Amino acid sequence: MTSATITGEKKTPSAPEEVITSAHLRLLDVPGIAGKVALITLDNGLDHQRPSTFGPGGIAGLNAALDAAFAAEPAAIAVTGKPFVFAVGADLSQIATITDHDSARATGVLGHSTFKRLTDSSIPTFAFVNGAAIGGGVELALSCDYRTMAANAPMMALSECFLGILPGWGGTQLLPKIVGPENAITVIIENALNQNHMMRPAEALGLGVVDVVLDAADYLEQSLVWMADVLAGRITVSRTNYAGAEFDDQWTSALERGRLIADMRTHGASPAPYRALELIALSRTADLATGLAAEADGLADLIVSQQFRAGLYSFNLTQKRARKPAGAPDLSLARKVTKVGVIGAGLMAGQIALLFAQRLHVPVVLTDVDQTRLDKGLAGVHRKIAERAAQRKMTQDEANRLTALVTGSLDYQAFSDADFVIEAVFEELGAKQTVFAALEKVVSPEAVLATNTSSLSITDMSAGLAHPERVIGFHFFNPISVMPLLEIVRTAATSDSTAATALSVAKTLRKGPIFTADAPAFVVNRLLTRFMGEIIAAIDEGTDPAVADAALAPLGLPMTPIMLLQLVGPAVALHVTETLHQSFPDRFEVSENLRRIVAAGHRTLVSWTETGQQVLDPEVAALWEQGTAPSTGEQVRDRALAALAQEARLMLDEKVVAAAADIDLALITGAGWPFWLGGITPYLDREGVSEKVTGRRFNPPGVSTMP
């Protein structure tokens, strides 16, 4: 066996210093294979928390390793990564410095020319995807003839459209040829625009992105055995030519589905998915060289776009600020959590209990007001676990252990040894005060008492308790398993130890928390309520509901305001509005129409015409009493954005959060604000709304714009 480490040269000092991903070449003797196997391992020299990426130096190093590999004339060439990481694509810090089209296009060509050496090789090439693979890492794997994947690899995705660009190192051309148009649309368009959905190994295998998933314990050894079987003909990996006429209908339906997804998720506000669709369509008829040239053009156009600059800001918020939230206490103060209590057994409480059990692996005890409700809630949690096992999202042994961890009791004494108890009862201050008063009699003085309230005062909730310092807000967003945000709400009395414990738990739950002050409705609900209030007010005044609801469509928000109101629930929205009205009556008016809708018990607010158009439900429309002062869509949009600018500025002045970036992060991860808009405050700055309404810009650090 021989070994060498090959790297390229660093970029010029004017750009951010590149963390070089080295390419380590080893020539291996593998039983059953005549000749050597050239194994290239990608490694940036850092632990798995700093995944390997490709900048110019990393690409140069890979090229040099390929030179040496081909010169050795091996029986096969394989590429793998450092522990837990294959490769996560281009070094975004390097791409962020590019401001001209030629340099942007050269980035695509550099990746193409290197990865295509694996595609064009007369020597069989293999990708051993041992860990996380994103973007260019996936495209490197697609450039190989065969792909194995470790069963414990945490994620695989082509995330580019989520960021406002497109897969630019071969993804739009290679993936459709390998998996067909339907699955290519799923991976490139649907997953990316679905909050950047990451594939697990089983899903990647099912879609055909990889050829086999192997056990993690001896993954490299198994991959080499699989390679030997492929080379010997004992294993045959079939490939389909999707260019034939028999696939006409599949191509047509796949591209139509892709456009529909792009329309629904972006409303035309982001060009990236549409450009990617054009290139996916081109892959059917164009030879690879022609397709890659077009892909390089598309990538260049998007790299120099404002959407990509905004996407980079969003990316940095979610990858950096969410991991080190402003105002975070010293984590060394956190107490160990060995048991959790959940007060309430409704839908939200059940989701909370399941998440705690899954992530913390500690006993979780549910309670409710009577045995019938408790049994129903507990059965719902156990049913969800069984469903996940049936879907092979966990083993049956894992499901059995998880089921055993989640139990129920009507006796609060069951919480006497709990370290963290969270209440999720209905939104009524007196009820929550009663719960905490009862809990304080049985739990230890150090146990954290958390509340999932969406808007109520936690200071008032903890009034009269002997230990208000251990009370904290712990506000999840629905659905809990999907939404990354967790608002951690400190009162003036909350201790650093309590806050540190809450942060530690949030991280273990894999949430991206922000710290907020104990202000009405905190961050997301305050902003969304102000925003929806303007839409409802416009309809109350006489604006056609369809006009008001479509007013924000140019922003590409994930859903219309009325759909959002339906998702939140009219009763919940009314409660939050009334809470905010008590504190800020001049800005949060309570719509009498909303009161009537809630009183009538309506939960469904929209219906669909035969042509697929979203309209206000007829029964709801009949209740809605309108005035005679309609607005245009532009006027509705202007007033809604002005309200957001005013409210965001007031929240910063009130020190609800530490900085504008926290507001941006909260709306991105808690309300689905599009990545490609780059956060609400820089968007309001770019559109001139901030200065017009408040006389000043937000100017969050880290925002870049095209010169």
Side-chain angles (χ1 to χ4, degrees):
M1 181 186 297
T2 61
S3 177
T5 299
I6 304 169
T7 64
E9 295 192 5
K10 293 186 178 181
K11 203 173 179 181
T12 59
S14 59
E17 184 176 359
E18 178 185 349
V19 177
I20 300 288
T21 293
S22 300
H24 304 265
L25 173 64
R26 292 185 291 164
L27 297 177
L28 308 179
D29 291 311
V30 178
I33 297 178
K36 301 286 188 180
V37 170
L39 179 66
I40 298 171
T41 302
L42 306 171
D43 190 347
N44 63 1
L46 304 173
D47 66 22
H48 67 279
Q49 295 184 9
R50 289 288 303 274
S52 302
T53 59
F54 290 115
I59 290 289
L62 178 57
N63 254 320
L66 288 172
D67 286 341
F70 283 119
E73 298 183 352
I77 298 173
V79 183
T80 192
K82 68 180 184 179
F84 309 112
V85 177
F86 181 68
V88 297
D91 184 343
L92 292 177
S93 69
Q94 301 292 306
I95 295 180
T97 66
I98 297 172
T99 58
D100 67 281
H101 193 276
D102 288 346
S103 297
R105 192 178 192 283
T107 298
V109 171
L110 180 63
H112 289 155
S113 62
T114 303
F115 293 0
K116 195 169 182 289
R117 299 180 68 186
L118 293 163
T119 308
D120 293 342
S121 170
S122 59
I123 299 170
T125 56
F126 293 75
F128 296 162
V129 184
N130 64 302
I134 300 175
V138 177
E139 291 168 298
L140 173 61
L142 294 173
S143 300
C144 296
D145 298 320
Y146 305 99
R147 288 159 292 283
T148 73
M149 189 173 190
N152 69 338
M155 62 190 72
M156 175 180 264
L158 288 172
S159 304
E160 287 84 351
C161 287
F162 186 60
L163 290 173
I165 52 175
L166 54 77
W169 282 349
T172 67
Q173 301 306 295
L174 294 171
L175 189 62
K177 297 177 189 296
I178 294 169
V179 305
E182 280 287 355
N183 290 349
I185 293 297
T186 297
V187 175
I188 295 174
I189 306 297
E190 184 174 15
N191 286 356
L193 298 184
N194 183 24
Q195 292 294 310
N196 195 22
H197 171 73
M198 300 281 172
M199 296 179 290
R200 298 301 300 271
E203 186 179 359
L205 178 63
L207 290 170
V209 184
V210 297
D211 299 315
V212 65
V213 172
L214 302 173
D215 188 70
D218 52 353
Y219 170 69
L220 179 58
E221 290 78 4
Q222 286 190 66
S223 292
L224 291 169
V225 170
W226 189 84
M227 170 193 280
D229 287 341
V230 169
L231 295 178
R234 292 185 292 272
I235 291 177
T236 301
V237 179
S238 61
R239 302 291 187 213
T240 301
N241 181 358
Y242 291 97
E246 66 271 27
F247 294 101
D248 283 352
D249 289 345
Q250 185 179 140
W251 277 96
T252 299
S253 65
L255 293 169
E256 287 179 352
R257 184 170 72 91
R259 280 189 289 271
L260 178 62
I261 291 169
D263 288 344
M264 290 178 62
R265 299 283 167 80
T266 77
H267 302 282
S270 174
Y274 300 97
R275 197 66 180 269
L277 283 168
E278 293 174 5
L279 290 164
I280 292 170
L282 178 65
S283 72
R284 184 185 187 188
T285 57
D287 60 74
L288 186 56
T290 301
L292 293 179
E295 187 181 77
D297 289 336
L299 178 66
D301 290 345
L302 294 170
I303 283 178
V304 297
S305 70
Q306 183 56 54
Q307 285 85 359
F308 178 54
R309 305 290 140 175
L312 282 176
Y313 170 70
S314 300
F315 178 81
N316 286 329
L317 285 180
T318 59
Q319 296 301 305
K320 297 177 182 178
R321 196 172 187 90
R323 294 178 180 178
K324 295 181 179 180
D330 185 348
L331 276 174
S332 67
L333 299 172
R335 292 187 287 271
K336 187 176 181 180
V337 174
T338 60
K339 183 177 179 180
V340 172
V342 180
I343 311 299
L347 180 61
M348 181 65 81
Q351 293 183 67
I352 292 172
L354 179 55
L355 183 66
F356 271 96
Q358 273 187 298
R359 300 286 189 246
L360 270 64
H361 306 290
V362 300
V364 178
V365 181
L366 280 162
T367 193
D368 212 317
V369 295
D370 57 51
Q371 193 67 49
T372 300
R373 295 186 188 186
L374 177 57
D375 289 346
K376 181 180 178 181
L378 196 58
V381 175
H382 291 168
R383 183 172 58 252
K384 181 61 70 175
I385 295 170
E387 289 173 358
R388 294 186 180 182
Q391 296 165 352
R392 298 185 179 181
K393 294 181 178 179
M394 64 177 66
T395 67
Q396 190 57 52
D397 284 346
E398 290 171 329
N400 293 340
R401 285 194 295 270
L402 203 57
T403 299
L405 285 175
V406 183
T407 60
S409 175
L410 291 177
D411 187 353
Y412 271 32
Q413 286 295 330
F415 305 119
S416 61
D417 56 346
D419 308 291
F420 192 101
V421 183
I422 181 169
E423 71 77 22
V425 302
F426 61 94
E427 285 285 277
E428 199 276 315
L429 182 61
K432 294 178 185 290
Q433 289 173 325
T434 298
V435 165
F436 277 168
L439 278 172
E440 193 170 51
K441 296 175 182 178
V442 297
V443 299
S444 71
E446 296 78 26
V448 172
L449 299 184
T451 171
N452 186 50
T453 182
S454 60
S455 63
L456 296 175
S457 167
I458 298 165
T459 301
D460 291 347
M461 208 177 295
S462 58
L465 295 180
H467 296 285
E469 72 279 359
R470 42 97 166 269
V471 178
I472 197 161
F474 209 69
H475 180 219
F476 290 95
F477 289 79
N478 198 27
I480 288 174
S481 62
V482 175
M483 302 305 288
L485 180 65
L486 185 65
E487 290 177 332
I488 299 179
V489 188
R490 295 189 67 162
T491 71
T494 303
S495 69
D496 284 347
S497 177
T498 298
T501 304
L503 177 59
S504 177
V505 169
K507 286 179 173 290
T508 307
L509 295 176
R510 302 179 193 172
K511 294 297 180 183
I514 63 165
F515 278 88
T516 89
D518 184 20
F522 318 128
V523 179
V524 173
N525 281 343
R526 178 167 167 180
L527 286 167
L528 290 185
T529 302
R530 181 75 195 278
F531 161 76
M532 286 194 297
E534 297 300 326
I535 305 298
I536 293 172
I539 299 173
D540 288 349
E541 293 161 7
T543 303
D544 184 335
V547 171
D549 201 34
L552 279 296
L555 276 69
L557 300 179
M559 64 185 69
T560 68
I562 294 179
M563 278 297 293
L564 177 61
L565 180 61
Q566 178 173 293
L567 177 66
V568 170
V572 173
L574 177 61
H575 166 74
V576 175
T577 304
E578 289 174 338
T579 299
L580 284 162
H581 178 74
Q582 291 175 7
S583 299
F584 313 114
D586 57 324
R587 302 195 308 279
F588 291 88
E589 291 290 337
V590 181
S591 168
E592 291 302 320
N593 284 314
L594 182 57
R595 281 199 172 109
R596 275 191 289 273
I597 290 167
V598 172
H602 287 292
R603 297 182 180 180
T604 300
L605 302 181
V606 301
S607 58
W608 306 88
T609 66
E610 293 182 357
T611 59
Q613 182 181 4
Q614 176 186 310
V615 296
L616 199 63
D617 183 83
E619 292 185 8
V620 172
L623 288 174
W624 212 306
E625 296 180 3
Q626 291 188 281
T628 58
S631 299
T632 65
E634 183 177 0
Q635 290 170 328
V636 174
R637 182 166 59 253
D638 288 348
R639 72 187 282 179
L641 292 177
L644 284 173
Q646 182 191 36
E647 206 62 37
R649 172 52 62 192
L650 289 169
M651 290 167 68
L652 292 174
D653 292 345
E654 296 165 12
K655 301 189 186 311
V656 175
V657 289
D662 296 310
I663 291 175
D664 296 331
L665 177 61
L667 286 187
I668 289 168
T669 59
W673 180 266
F675 246 55
W676 56 84
L677 290 182
I680 181 64
T681 66
Y683 175 81
L684 293 170
D685 283 350
R686 287 197 307 273
E687 297 297 310
V689 180
S690 309
E691 288 181 284
K692 180 180 178 181
V693 174
T694 70
R696 48 184 167 155
R697 296 166 61 88
F698 291 102
N699 286 328
V703 176
S704 65
T705 57
M706 288 303 298

